[in-house]
Each structure stands twice: as structure tokens, then as C-alpha cells.
Amino acid sequence: MTQTRNFAFALAMAGTTAFSGCALQQMVKKGKEQELTVTPSPLEVHGDSVKFEMSAVLPPKTLKKGKVYQVNTFYQYGNDELELEPIRFDAADYDRASSEQPRQTKEYAFAYNPDMKQGEVVIQGEAINPSNDKSRTTDRMTVAEGVVNTADLVQAVSYAAYAEHGYVTEEELEPTNIEFYFSQGSAVLRPTEKQGDKGAYFNAFLAEKNVTRTVTITGTHSPEGPERVNDKLAENRAKAIERYYREQMRRYDYQGMADSIEFVIKPVVEDWTEFKEMLEEYDGLSS
């Protein structure tokens, strides 16, 4: 009876070991599909050091409970090798590793010497069982070349001459003009104007929330009619446009942007300029 119990216990232990080894093997197999990005690539030397960043993304279901997967990183040059700090994924830190991709980004830096000019960044995935220190590894893989040392080769041979670049550094604003027409003697903005092509263009302009600093509204009237009526008519038409503009800004949720816009009202009264220009072009009348 004692021998039977010992034999059964041995079988149980063998089953546990086999399961652990299988989990590590699965992690190594999935780890081969990892995504690695090195920036910059190839590596560059600045001053007396080489700095780069590496991002690692594991496929879902790579990490197994109680296990660790790490990306061992090396810089190999000639017959030498510089071991860098690994990127370590502990399954305990990733609750959703079965459905999401665990990811990490690590920054590296090492002192540069001329022997490192021709080299490469090499990684090796390793699945680890911390409870018994067993591990499985992937083959090594090159992920970046090195090292570009152009910055060290530059020599100043002459003084630089700077010319004006010609670019306008100040804010450039492009004017947009829209005309609305009123009925004779009226300062009421007609629905047909709001709903027509000009109204649609105006609403589209406001919907895009273009940067606007100043809105200049020029109110005019036809030359006929008494001056006392036309004086107020031109101003009232300009104010009607301003009210409509502000209503649309509230509609499109301008909020604080509206406070930064300056409205300039310019009523034009008794302006015969256009009529005079038409007379000059008309040749149907003698002097």
C-alpha cells in the first residue's frame, strides 16, 4: 500500500512539472509574434552617449498566471556585447492579458566608444517561472542597427550667413464677404435671405468655427427716401445682421469665443457713389 501511494504522488509531481513546462513553451511560442519598435533606427550618437527608446507589445494570451515574460536586450558590436536592462512583463500586473495586448516602452542610454560604430540591437524573449527559476527562450533577433555618428563628424568651416526668411510670423486672416438684401424701407432680415444660398454659406462658415477677430457690418440704403429715414434705416439694417450673427454663434456653441470677436457697425447714408459710376459708364446721354 505504501508503494502505491508513493507512486501516485510521483505521478502527480510529474504532471505538475509537465504543465509548467508546457505553459513556458506556449509563452515562448506566442512571444515570437511580439511587436518591437526602436526609435531612432538606426541608433544615433549625440555627444558621448547613445540613447534610444524601445516599445514592446505582446499578443493577447501570451502571459500565463504566475509567470513572467521578459525581452532581454543587448547591443552587439565586433566580438563584444553590452547587456541592457530587459523589458519585464509580470502576469500579475496585467489582469486583462487574455484579451488585451500588454505593452511597455523603455528608454535606454549607454556610453559610446568608437568600437561601437558597427553594431546592432539584439533581443531575446524569455518565459520564466519564478517559483522554480525554470525558463524557456526564443532565438535572438536583430531589431535595429547602429550607430550613426554624423553629429561627431561635423566641422565648422565657415561662419553661417543668415538671410531674412520672408515668412510672415504674425497671424494671417483672410477676409470673407457676404451680402444680405432687405426689402425697400425695411430693416427686417427676410427668411428667404437666411434660408437661401448666402444664408447657407454663412451658417457653414459659423459651423466650422473659423478664427474670427473682427466682424465689420456695413448697413446701406437705396438713395431715394428722406434723409431722416435713411439715416436710421442703414444703422438698423447693420444691427439686424449683428443680432443674427450672435444668434447663430449661440446656436453653434461658440461660448467664450464670441467674447473675443469685435463687431464694427458702419451705416452708410446718402451714398451716391455707385450711381455716379454707372452714369460715367453710360454713353446714352450727351453732355
Side-chain angles (χ1 to χ4, degrees):
M1 294 297 291
T2 303
Q3 291 180 351
T4 303
R5 286 198 296 271
N6 289 341
F7 181 66
F9 179 73
L11 282 178
M13 288 296 293
T16 303
T17 303
F19 179 79
S20 175
C22 181
L24 295 180
Q25 188 61 36
Q26 290 176 358
M27 291 175 64
V28 167
K29 185 177 180 181
K30 292 290 290 183
K32 293 178 180 179
E33 304 172 14
Q34 64 195 341
E35 300 176 12
L36 295 167
T37 304
V38 177
T39 307
S41 181
L43 305 188
E44 300 174 357
V45 59
H46 294 278
D48 58 356
S49 63
V50 177
K51 297 180 180 180
F52 68 96
E53 180 181 271
M54 186 162 69
S55 298
V57 182
L58 300 183
K61 300 181 181 179
T62 299
L63 298 178
K64 304 300 181 184
K65 185 176 180 180
K67 307 298 186 294
V68 172
Y69 183 88
Q70 68 182 28
V71 181
N72 299 321
T73 308
F74 313 88
Y75 183 71
Q76 294 179 342
Y77 57 100
N79 297 322
D80 295 318
E81 176 179 278
L82 177 65
E83 184 175 355
L84 303 174
E85 188 177 352
I87 298 179
R88 186 178 175 89
F89 293 88
D90 192 331
D93 298 331
Y94 297 90
D95 298 333
R96 301 180 180 178
S98 60
S99 59
E100 297 181 357
Q101 293 179 297
R103 62 184 65 223
Q104 281 194 49
T105 298
K106 195 172 192 64
E107 294 183 352
Y108 292 93
F110 58 86
Y112 173 76
N113 68 66
D115 294 337
M116 294 179 171
K117 181 177 180 181
Q118 299 294 331
E120 55 191 17
V121 178
V122 177
I123 65 96
Q124 183 179 47
E126 182 178 12
I128 305 171
N129 185 352
S131 64
N132 57 17
D133 290 332
K134 291 185 178 295
S135 65
R136 295 287 181 90
T137 58
T138 66
D139 295 333
R140 290 196 173 195
M141 178 176 66
T142 299
V143 292
E145 303 290 338
V147 171
V148 176
N149 65 338
T150 307
D152 291 343
L153 302 178
V154 176
Q155 295 183 357
V157 296
S158 61
Y159 290 103
Y162 297 97
E164 290 294 330
H165 50 69
Y167 292 111
V168 178
T169 57
E170 298 178 353
E171 184 179 56
E172 294 185 63
L173 299 177
E174 181 180 347
T176 299
N177 298 307
I178 304 176
E179 294 183 345
F180 288 105
Y181 293 94
F182 293 81
S183 298
Q184 184 175 4
S186 173
V188 177
L189 187 57
R190 295 175 296 172
T192 54
E193 289 293 300
K194 299 178 182 178
Q195 298 167 7
D197 293 340
K198 288 173 287 190
Y201 179 82
F202 177 69
N203 287 334
F205 176 84
L206 288 180
E208 291 177 2
K209 295 187 178 180
N210 293 283
V211 176
T212 305
R213 297 288 179 249
T214 304
V215 176
T216 301
I217 304 175
T218 303
T220 64
H221 64 85
S222 52
E224 74 275 5
E227 182 177 350
R228 60 181 177 79
V229 174
N230 289 339
D231 184 18
K232 290 295 183 181
L233 184 61
E235 182 179 358
N236 290 339
R237 285 176 172 174
K239 290 181 178 180
I241 297 294
E242 180 186 4
R243 285 194 299 273
Y244 180 59
Y245 198 118
R246 293 186 182 277
E247 289 172 2
Q248 296 304 95
M249 285 196 297
R250 286 193 292 271
R251 174 187 174 188
Y252 291 109
D253 195 24
Y254 268 58
Q255 297 182 357
M257 294 172 59
D259 298 333
S260 64
I261 300 176
E262 179 185 3
F263 283 85
V264 180
I265 304 298
K266 294 175 60 177
V268 178
V269 183
E270 296 287 337
D271 186 2
W272 294 85
T273 303
E274 186 175 356
F275 179 69
K276 293 177 180 178
E277 290 175 351
M278 292 174 62
L279 284 179
E280 290 178 1
E281 296 175 0
Y282 181 65
D283 56 4
L285 295 175
S286 64
S287 57

